Amino acid sequence: MEQSFLAYLRGRTRQLPQVAVGIGDDAAVIDWPEPSVSNGLQQIACTDQIIDGVDFRSDEQSLVDIGFKSMAINLSDIAAMGARPASALVTLALPSDNATEIAGEVYEGILEAAQRYQVAVAGGDLSTYDGPLSISITILGWAEQPWLRSGAEEGDALFVTGALGGSLLGRHLRPEPRVELAAKLNETVKVHAAIDVSDGFSLDLDRMLAASRMGAELSLESLPISDAAHEFAKTSGRTPLQHAWSDGEDFELIFCVSSEDAEVIEKTDWGVPVTRVGKVVGRTGLWKRVETSKFERVFPQGFVHGETDTAAAE
């Protein structure tokens, strides 16, 4: 539903004034009205909403953790654009019962994330109603050359940060958006395309490659699998690799660079794991290596809003 509606919305808004990069990437890119005051920077804007009973369960999870997550998921989108966050607008729709107490706890988590990543809380809105807690945050940032999903080039090396899978065992409530890593990468190499892992490694990778009209040859044995994925696999009936392939809310970065820059990345200590997992190819789709020179088609899997996707890597 989400992807089809976004396609509809892009068509319906085509006659409106446009920004540099609009609907369809991790964040929007907005040119300054007066280039002379921009100092060579573009504004980056993203927004996300999470709702009780859909994206979290307030009867089972800490409201402080939920508030932290609401900021972190937006910061992950900012990182995926190669941008620096600057300020946030926070809107809370609060259940009528205990509204003040709920708002206070949620804001403690929001402010913790804001302090950690040096983001100003510039304002927002509060309202109460007869419904579940909803948190909507908009983050504004800046970038010199924003990373897009559409810039992958044939022959590029593909990388992923951190470790994948098993986030539902608790890591999804305290994700670590790769804002600092994105800044370090910007200082060292030229990232051609990037996306964050929100709905699943393979699904988000496929989205980035589709935007670039490219595909990928992957070494699945090199995927960095989290300890949580191994733990989850003991009871889930799925393998650790399947969890790494498709579990959502890892909030890691997938990105690609030239083969020359790939050598730099592999020789540098980034402070967090950065793993080479394959390369970009001209034929579309995802392909796994089965022999030295042979590849087999594999299909993306992850959380699709409004749908259930069951195709998986073996």
Side-chain angles (χ1 to χ4, degrees), residues 177-288:
R178 301 304 187 185
V179 175
E180 291 302 322
L181 174 61
K184 292 177 183 177
L185 286 168
N186 258 333
E187 294 170 357
T188 312
V189 298
K190 181 176 176 57
V191 172
H192 290 166
I195 192 171
D196 79 324
V197 182
S198 55
D199 293 333
F201 167 79
S202 60
L203 189 58
D204 289 315
L205 172 62
D206 191 61
R207 287 170 177 165
M208 185 187 83
L209 293 169
S212 297
R213 299 183 180 180
M214 293 286 167
E217 292 178 349
L218 301 168
S219 300
L220 294 188
E221 65 277 6
S222 67
L223 280 191
I225 302 174
S226 72
D227 292 341
H230 286 281
E231 186 66 27
F232 208 175
K234 294 177 182 178
T235 57
S236 68
R238 305 173 68 204
T239 67
L241 174 59
Q242 287 172 326
H243 282 294
W245 181 253
S246 63
D247 283 1
E249 301 204 314
D250 283 320
F251 299 110
E252 297 292 350
L253 295 182
I254 302 168
F255 65 93
C256 61
V257 298
S258 68
S259 56
E260 292 78 13
D261 277 344
E263 294 181 13
V264 175
I265 288 174
E266 291 184 310
K267 293 176 181 177
T268 303
D269 180 2
W270 299 99
V272 297
V274 179
T275 306
R276 188 170 183 167
V277 295
K279 71 174 182 179
V280 176
V281 295
R283 58 174 176 171
T284 58
L286 304 181
W287 304 83
K288 71 174 181 180

Side-chain angles (χ1 to χ4, degrees), residues 107-180:
Y107 250 102
E108 283 303 312
I110 289 171
L111 295 172
E112 181 186 342
Q115 177 67 37
R116 182 176 301 182
Y117 296 98
Q118 290 298 287
V119 178
V121 176
D125 188 43
L126 292 172
S127 62
T128 60
Y129 75 129
D130 185 20
L133 171 63
S134 173
I135 308 169
S136 178
I137 293 182
T138 298
I139 292 188
L140 304 176
W142 53 265
E144 293 183 11
Q145 292 185 318
W147 305 342
L148 305 181
R149 299 178 182 183
S150 55
E153 300 177 6
E154 187 170 4
D156 278 355
L158 279 166
F159 288 86
V160 66
T161 66
L164 303 169
S167 66
L168 288 179
L169 292 188
R171 188 161 45 94
H172 70 295
L173 289 172
R174 287 280 173 165
E176 297 182 21
R178 301 304 187 185
V179 175
E180 291 302 322

